[in-house]
């Protein structure tokens, strides 16, 4: 009897979770609590299905494509913005980079190595690796997308708990482009880097 009393709420809970999951968006499953409409998921965890592409909306009104979702770890990975061809400007520079609404249950996880490009000298004061052997130099030299940033002052850093977990800031006169790697391992070659910005959500209960 005790076992049944324990099991029934557990089963009901599992069932309601499945019922309120959202339909797939393109090839991606949309697991609870993520929500693509008012009729599924938890509305605080809003994501957008735009023409078969699942997207995350920043506080600045920019949509970032969601590449993958791990519901068990409460994590998703979005695609970093493009660096515009023949420039060292990220496509979200005009919106000051990536910004998360602090009232939403998402933050930037500590599993990201961020690279900033075309930075001004005053950035050297912060705890970043802007040395000539920083991995951002490899991105400038070996990756086509980074070629417009070649020769600029660049820095890399682990987005860890010592940093704000709600933004990657860009501005003219600061740094004007960025990219990010998830699951970075110093032994990886440049061609095997995994680009992405990993976000984490607070479980709904
Ligand atoms: C929607 O996606 C389809 C297939 O990827 C594409 O052909 C079409 O142009 C897209 N429509 C819009 C409005 O983006
Ligand atoms: C900067 O990063 C490079 C490459 O990972 C590393 O070899 C170097 O020790 C780092 N320098 C500092 C000051 O952290
Ligand atoms: C670097 O940033 C400055 C402003 O801070 C800008 O004027 C310049 O065009 C940028 N360089 C590149 C290569 O985009
Ligand atoms: C991000 O959110 C997760 C889940 O709520 C939390 O465990 C973690 O401490 C937060 N990280 C930061 C850096 O705020």
């Amino acid at each position: 009897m005790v076992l049944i009393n324990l099991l029934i709420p557990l089963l009901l809970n599992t069932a309601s979770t499945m019922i309120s999951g959202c339909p797939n968006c393109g090839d991606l499953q949309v697991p609870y609590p993520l929500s693509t409409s008012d009729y599924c998921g938890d509305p605080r965890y809003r994501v957008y299905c735009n023409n078969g592409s699942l997207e995350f909306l920043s506080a600045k009104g920019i949509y970032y494509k969601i590449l993958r979702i791990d519901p068990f770890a409460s994590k998703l990975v979005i695609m970093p913005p493009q660096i515009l061809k023949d420039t060292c400007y990220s496509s979200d520079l005009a919106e000051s980079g990536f910004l998360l609404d602090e009232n939403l249950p998402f933050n930037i996880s500590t599993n990201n190595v961020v690279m900033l490009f075309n930075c001004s000298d005053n950035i050297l004061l912060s705890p970043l690796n802007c040395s000539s052997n920083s991995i951002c130099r490899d991105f400038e030299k070996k990756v086509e997308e980074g070629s417009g940033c070649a020769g600029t002052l660049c820095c890399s850093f682990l987005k860890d708990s010592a940093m704000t977990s709600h933004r990657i800031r860009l501005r003219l006169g600061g740094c004007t482009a960025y990219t990010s790697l998830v699951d970075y391992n110093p032994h990886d070659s440049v061609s095997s880097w995994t680009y992405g910005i990993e976000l984490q959500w607070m479980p709904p209960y």
Side-chain angles (χ1 to χ4, degrees), residues 86-89 117-120 148-150 152 171-176:
D86 299 329
T87 72
C88 191
Y89 292 162
F117 301 95
N118 193 26
C119 300
S120 67
C149 296
T152 68
R171 65 185 173 87
L172 289 172
C175 306
T176 60

Side-chain angles (χ1 to χ4, degrees), residues 42-78:
D42 181 328
R44 290 176 303 152
Y45 297 81
R46 192 79 165 92
V47 291
Y48 297 82
C49 188
N50 293 331
N51 194 26
S53 168
L54 193 63
E55 299 179 336
F56 186 88
L57 182 63
S58 77
K60 294 285 190 170
I62 308 286
Y63 291 96
Y64 297 83
K65 187 177 169 58
I66 297 176
L67 301 173
R68 51 187 178 277
I69 303 169
D70 180 349
F72 303 104
S74 304
K75 286 174 172 175
L76 59 84
V77 176
I78 60 173

Side-chain angles (χ1 to χ4, degrees), residues 66-156:
I66 297 176
L67 301 173
R68 51 187 178 277
I69 303 169
D70 180 349
F72 303 104
S74 304
K75 286 174 172 175
L76 59 84
V77 176
I78 60 173
M79 190 157 94
Q82 289 295 302
I83 297 175
L84 304 175
K85 196 164 165 48
D86 299 329
T87 72
C88 191
Y89 292 162
S90 284
S91 58
D92 58 7
L93 171 63
E95 289 78 23
S96 311
F98 182 66
L99 183 68
L100 280 173
D101 183 339
E102 297 197 23
N103 298 314
L104 293 180
F106 292 94
N107 66 23
I108 303 172
S109 85
T110 55
N111 191 26
N112 296 288
V113 171
V114 177
M115 296 180 244
L116 297 169
F117 301 95
N118 193 26
C119 300
S120 67
D121 292 344
N122 56 20
I123 197 99
L124 290 168
L125 298 170
S126 15
L128 310 176
N129 186 341
C130 309
S131 66
S132 57
N133 57 3
S134 162
I135 60 165
C136 64
R137 300 283 171 190
D138 292 328
F139 184 79
E140 290 185 348
K141 284 187 210 133
K142 298 178 187 164
V143 182
E144 170 69 30
E145 196 189 339
S147 58
C149 296
T152 68
L153 175 58
C154 73
C155 307
S156 58

Side-chain angles (χ1 to χ4, degrees), residues 12-64:
L12 285 176
N13 203 5
T14 309
S16 72
T17 298
M18 287 190 300
I19 289 162
S20 50
C22 294
N24 288 5
C25 178
D27 296 335
L28 275 189
Q29 289 187 351
V30 183
Y32 190 86
L34 300 181
S35 168
T36 48
S37 83
D38 292 344
Y39 308 105
C40 62
D42 181 328
R44 290 176 303 152
Y45 297 81
R46 192 79 165 92
V47 291
Y48 297 82
C49 188
N50 293 331
N51 194 26
S53 168
L54 193 63
E55 299 179 336
F56 186 88
L57 182 63
S58 77
K60 294 285 190 170
I62 308 286
Y63 291 96
Y64 297 83

